[in-house]
Amino acid sequence: MPRPLGELEDAVMTRVWKWNRPVTVREVLEDLQQERSIAYTTVMTVLDNLHQKGWVRREAEGRAYRYEAVSTRAAYAAALMNEAWSQSDNAAAALVAFFGMMSPEQREALRAAIRIVQGPESAEGRESPGSAEGEAGR
């Protein structure tokens, strides 16, 4: 599990993930400069560090590079959640506490995700009349 991104790394990766295409240092720089004063060399260093850490791949374009995300923001968030969960000495208690922090919308997103992971075979059993699991999910 990679360590969490730093504040500037996250700001850069947010743009790479949002644009979902190979980007140049200049493009990231110009977008970041709308929020803060930052140098080209700083953005170039951050993207180089992200490349060395395996977050982005790069392809030469003339004397510069185009950078592209290796994975999605969702995969990054999932890895962080998995790492945090694995640090607990009581996984069930950690999950209960985490679920307790969720908004109703987040809990519904969790239910939807579980349905997707379980697949259509599980959905059939859940929908059958009188099924305890089906009743609990309503």
Side-chain angles (χ1 to χ4, degrees), residues 114-135 138:
I114 290 170
R115 285 191 296 269
I116 290 168
V117 170
Q118 288 177 335
E121 303 84 37
S122 296
E124 290 172 14
R126 216 177 24 257
E127 297 301 313
S128 63
S131 160
E133 188 178 341
E135 293 300 315
R138 293 176 197 206

Side-chain angles (χ1 to χ4, degrees), residues 98-99 102 105-116:
F98 180 62
F99 297 157
M102 294 176 139
E105 294 80 15
Q106 290 170 320
R107 285 193 294 277
E108 185 50 43
L110 176 63
R111 285 185 200 96
I114 290 170
R115 285 191 296 269
I116 290 168

Side-chain angles (χ1 to χ4, degrees), residues 6 10 12 21 33 46 70 93 100 104 116-117 134 136-137:
D10 186 69
V12 169
R21 61 172 172 76
Q33 284 179 330
V46 170
V70 169
I116 290 168
V117 170

